[in-house]
PDB file of all heavy atoms in Angstrom:
ATOM      1  N   GLY A 163    -145.456-160.633 144.111  1.00 82.00           N
ATOM      2  CA  GLY A 163    -144.167-160.567 144.827  1.00 82.00           C
ATOM      3  C   GLY A 163    -143.052-160.383 143.865  1.00 82.00           C
ATOM      4  O   GLY A 163    -142.181-159.539 144.074  1.00 82.00           O
ATOM      5  N   ALA A 164    -143.058-161.103 142.777  1.00 86.00           N
ATOM      6  CA  ALA A 164    -141.963-160.975 141.785  1.00 86.00           C
ATOM      7  C   ALA A 164    -142.038-159.629 141.101  1.00 86.00           C
ATOM      8  O   ALA A 164    -141.045-158.956 140.958  1.00 86.00           O
ATOM      9  CB  ALA A 164    -142.150-162.100 140.754  1.00 86.00           C
ATOM     10  N   LEU A 165    -143.222-159.153 140.798  1.00 86.00           N
ATOM     11  CA  LEU A 165    -143.349-157.905 140.095  1.00 86.00           C
ATOM     12  C   LEU A 165    -142.970-156.717 140.992  1.00 86.00           C
ATOM     13  O   LEU A 165    -142.307-155.783 140.533  1.00 86.00           O
ATOM     14  CB  LEU A 165    -144.821-157.702 139.575  1.00 86.00           C
ATOM     15  CG  LEU A 165    -145.285-158.661 138.437  1.00 86.00           C
ATOM     16  CD1 LEU A 165    -146.773-158.404 138.179  1.00 86.00           C
ATOM     17  CD2 LEU A 165    -144.451-158.364 137.201  1.00 86.00           C
ATOM     18  N   SER A 166    -143.401-156.722 142.235  1.00 87.00           N
ATOM     19  CA  SER A 166    -143.163-155.634 143.078  1.00 87.00           C
ATOM     20  C   SER A 166    -141.694-155.495 143.516  1.00 87.00           C
ATOM     21  O   SER A 166    -141.230-154.447 143.889  1.00 87.00           O
ATOM     22  CB  SER A 166    -144.047-155.633 144.322  1.00 87.00           C
ATOM     23  OG  SER A 166    -143.794-156.702 145.140  1.00 87.00           O
ATOM     24  N   TRP A 167    -140.934-156.616 143.549  1.00 82.00           N
ATOM     25  CA  TRP A 167    -139.579-156.674 143.912  1.00 82.00           C
ATOM     26  C   TRP A 167    -138.644-156.611 142.717  1.00 82.00           C
ATOM     27  O   TRP A 167    -137.395-156.571 142.888  1.00 82.00           O
ATOM     28  CB  TRP A 167    -139.212-157.835 144.741  1.00 82.00           C
ATOM     29  CG  TRP A 167    -139.946-157.914 146.083  1.00 82.00           C
ATOM     30  CD1 TRP A 167    -140.346-156.899 146.801  1.00 82.00           C
ATOM     31  CD2 TRP A 167    -140.294-159.091 146.780  1.00 82.00           C
ATOM     32  NE1 TRP A 167    -140.961-157.378 147.958  1.00 82.00           N
ATOM     33  CE2 TRP A 167    -140.927-158.725 147.890  1.00 82.00           C
ATOM     34  CE3 TRP A 167    -140.133-160.466 146.506  1.00 82.00           C
ATOM     35  CZ2 TRP A 167    -141.410-159.684 148.877  1.00 82.00           C
ATOM     36  CZ3 TRP A 167    -140.577-161.375 147.478  1.00 82.00           C
ATOM     37  CH2 TRP A 167    -141.212-160.921 148.599  1.00 82.00           C
ATOM     38  N   GLY A 168    -139.166-156.516 141.510  1.00 86.00           N
ATOM     39  CA  GLY A 168    -138.312-156.497 140.381  1.00 86.00           C
ATOM     40  C   GLY A 168    -137.683-157.788 140.064  1.00 86.00           C
ATOM     41  O   GLY A 168    -136.641-157.950 139.411  1.00 86.00           O
ATOM     42  N   GLY A 169    -138.317-158.878 140.542  1.00 89.00           N
ATOM     43  CA  GLY A 169    -137.741-160.212 140.411  1.00 89.00           C
ATOM     44  C   GLY A 169    -138.221-160.868 139.139  1.00 89.00           C
ATOM     45  O   GLY A 169    -138.864-160.268 138.242  1.00 89.00           O
ATOM     46  N   THR A 170    -137.907-162.197 139.046  1.00 93.00           N
ATOM     47  CA  THR A 170    -138.272-163.008 137.853  1.00 93.00           C
ATOM     48  C   THR A 170    -139.265-164.032 138.333  1.00 93.00           C
ATOM     49  O   THR A 170    -138.983-164.750 139.269  1.00 93.00           O
ATOM     50  CB  THR A 170    -137.012-163.656 137.304  1.00 93.00           C
ATOM     51  OG1 THR A 170    -136.091-162.657 136.891  1.00 93.00           O
ATOM     52  CG2 THR A 170    -137.373-164.480 136.096  1.00 93.00           C
TER      53      THR A 170
END
Side-chain angles (χ1 to χ4, degrees):
L165 292 175
S166 66
W167 295 332
T170 301

